[in-house]
């Protein structure tokens, strides 16, 4: 990995010329984010996988678990432009996309771009807004472009949605439609920190009497557009053996045949799982995918794409347990 640094040590450009460079990049991003958010290294790694695989992430967790701070720190470490939308019941699609406004000085319409025109978009509490407004994100998430008054506007190829939702509150929320959920590569569960990590949080954050910026924690930029593009190019060279492809297809098809699931996963889930497995392999320093890559990503890819049967719900079974059981049944490639 060739680095060009300023005197302060901040990396201005990094050229990923081999798989090991992708691994080093992932480790550097994780180390920077950890300066502000304690104990969420695995979560940072999954978001990095999503970025390099061209996917989006839905974070579900109780309030106060640093979901917003995590997004801000990740954007700074990766050099991505950051935007935030606080979703509310009265939010309209135009508030997200923007609109054409008439300019009386020029007697013409001028596009005023909405906050969606960024690279890393934090869709905070996305389930607090009605489905009509949630759907404003669909085209951008799928095609990385938006259409306003019949005109298409291309977005950054690195455009990534990091959406959050609170699983505790049940009133005043609008569950995401299945079509919207299927656009997310991962649904990740953000849990409370362990006791020692929570003590670190209180010791570090408890003495701050203002809301600190991520720069105050010493988070610096270790990537940029060229770095990420080079890493994605390297991930495209990761080998996906026929046996791994068959393994992924069998797993996805098994979700449609399981008596515990009313609705299984789509072919899109299989494609995204394969792509994410390639990114995970590269971040581990390998140029080939192994079954372990598929197994550790399966729950994150499937937990929002399958629907429990009535019997499974009555028995109190979880999607994660059912996915684990399906993995146990499938023959693992050698």
């Amino acid at each position: 990995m060739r680095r060009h640094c300023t005197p302060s040590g901040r990396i201005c450009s990094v050229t990923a010329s081999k798989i090991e460079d992708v691994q080093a990049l992932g480790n550097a991003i994780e180390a920077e984010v950890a300066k502000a958010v304690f104990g969420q290294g695995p979560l940072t790694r999954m978001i990095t996988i999503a970025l390099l695989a061209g996917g989006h992430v839905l974070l579900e967790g109780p309030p106060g678990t640093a979901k917003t701070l995590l997004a801000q720190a990740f954007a700074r470490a990766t050099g991505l432009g950051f935007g935030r939308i606080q979703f509310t019941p009265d939010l309209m699609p135009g508030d997200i996309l923007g609109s054409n406004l008439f300019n009386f000085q020029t007697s013409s319409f001028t596009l005023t771009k909405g906050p969606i025109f960024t690279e890393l978009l934090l869709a905070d509490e996305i389930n607090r807004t009605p489905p009509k407004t949630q759907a404003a994100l669909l085209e951008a998430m799928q095609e990385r472009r938006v259409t306003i008054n019949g005109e298409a506007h291309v977005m950054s190829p690195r455009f990534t949605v990091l959406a959050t939702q609170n699983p505790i509150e049940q009133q005043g929320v609008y569950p995401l439609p299945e079509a919207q959920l299927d656009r997310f590569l991962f649904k990740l569960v953000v849990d409370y920190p362990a006791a020692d990590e929570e003590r670190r949080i209180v010791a570090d954050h408890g003495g701050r009497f203002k809301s600190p910026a991520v720069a105050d924690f010493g988070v610096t930029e270790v990537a940029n557009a060229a770095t990420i593009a080079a890493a994605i190019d390297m991930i495209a060279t990761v080998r996906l053996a026929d046996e791994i492809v068959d393994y992924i297809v069998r797993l996805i098809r098994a979700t449609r045949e399981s008596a515990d699931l009313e609705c299984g996963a789509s072919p899109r889930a299989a494609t995204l799982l394969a792509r994410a497995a390639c990114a995970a392999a590269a971040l581990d320093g390998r140029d080939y995918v192994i079954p372990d890559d598929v197994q550790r990503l399966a729950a994150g890819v499937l937990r929002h794409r399958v629907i429990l049967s009535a019997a499974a719900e009555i028995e109190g079974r979880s999607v994660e347990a059912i996915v684990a059981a399906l993995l146990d049944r499938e023959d693992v490639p050698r």
Side-chain angles (χ1 to χ4, degrees):
M1 182 179 291
R2 297 188 298 276
R3 303 187 178 191
H4 305 283
C5 301
T6 63
S8 65
R10 175 179 169 184
I11 299 173
C12 299
S13 63
V14 182
T15 303
S17 58
K18 53 185 182 297
I19 289 294
E20 289 79 6
D21 294 343
V22 181
Q23 182 182 29
L25 175 64
N27 292 339
I29 292 172
E30 190 173 323
E32 290 301 314
V33 173
K35 293 178 181 178
V37 184
F38 304 137
Q40 296 292 3
L43 203 60
T44 304
R45 177 54 58 98
M46 293 292 280
I47 297 173
T48 305
I49 291 172
L51 172 66
L52 299 181
H56 310 281
V57 179
L58 177 62
L59 297 175
E60 183 175 272
T65 48
K67 298 184 292 295
T68 299
L69 183 60
L70 174 64
Q72 293 172 333
F74 186 85
R76 182 171 177 84
T78 53
L80 295 174
F82 179 74
R84 175 181 177 179
I85 303 174
Q86 185 66 48
F87 280 75
T88 57
D90 60 348
L91 196 70
M92 299 297 291
D95 297 328
I96 296 175
L97 303 179
S99 59
N100 283 313
L101 300 178
F102 188 75
N103 188 327
F104 288 94
Q105 293 181 336
T106 62
S107 297
S108 62
F109 284 93
T110 303
L111 174 64
T112 301
K113 292 183 177 181
I116 197 172
F117 287 91
T118 187
E119 292 182 310
L120 181 66
L121 176 67
L122 174 61
D124 207 8
E125 295 188 283
I126 191 174
N127 58 336
R128 282 193 170 277
T129 199
K132 177 181 179 180
T133 305
Q134 293 173 7
L137 293 173
L138 287 175
E139 183 182 12
M141 292 174 69
Q142 182 65 28
E143 302 178 28
R144 286 177 170 78
R145 71 176 186 183
V146 296
T147 303
I148 302 175
N149 292 343
E151 183 178 356
H153 300 272
V154 178
M155 307 178 68
S156 167
R158 295 170 298 281
F159 174 71
T160 304
V161 174
L162 195 60
T164 71
Q165 64 179 17
N166 179 356
I168 299 174
E169 296 176 341
Q170 300 299 323
Q171 294 185 354
V173 296
Y174 304 84
L176 272 67
E178 297 303 319
Q180 180 93 31
L181 285 171
D182 202 41
R183 297 303 199 280
F184 288 98
L185 170 57
F186 295 134
K187 178 182 177 181
L188 306 177
V189 177
V190 184
D191 206 350
Y192 292 113
D196 58 335
E197 292 164 354
E198 191 161 5
R199 189 186 184 286
R200 285 185 63 200
I201 293 170
V202 174
D204 187 83
H205 294 248
R208 300 176 187 266
F209 292 92
K210 65 175 184 176
S211 181
V214 290
D216 296 337
F217 294 101
V219 179
T220 58
E221 183 179 318
V222 293
N224 54 30
T227 308
I228 295 171
I232 292 172
D233 288 342
M234 288 305 303
I235 288 169
T237 68
V238 173
R239 297 194 302 273
L240 190 65
D242 290 342
E243 294 80 6
I244 299 294
V245 173
D246 292 340
Y247 183 50
I248 292 172
V249 171
R250 290 200 310 271
L251 173 62
I252 297 302
R253 294 182 69 86
T255 65
R256 303 173 201 154
E257 299 164 0
S258 172
D260 295 318
L261 299 175
E262 181 182 326
C263 179
S266 67
R268 179 190 282 137
T271 301
L272 292 179
L273 179 54
R275 194 182 302 167
C278 290
L283 287 169
D284 281 349
R286 284 180 280 104
D287 63 353
Y288 56 90
V289 176
I290 61 176
D292 284 354
D293 297 324
V294 177
Q295 292 167 359
R296 60 196 170 99
L297 298 176
V301 172
L302 295 176
R303 64 164 52 98
H304 57 297
R305 288 187 163 91
V306 299
I307 300 175
L308 290 173
S309 66
E313 282 197 276
I314 292 172
E315 293 172 3
R317 303 191 63 190
S318 67
V319 168
E320 291 82 1
I322 293 170
V323 170
L326 292 177
L327 287 168
D328 288 340
R329 292 176 202 160
E330 294 299 327
D331 293 333
V332 178
R334 301 296 180 188

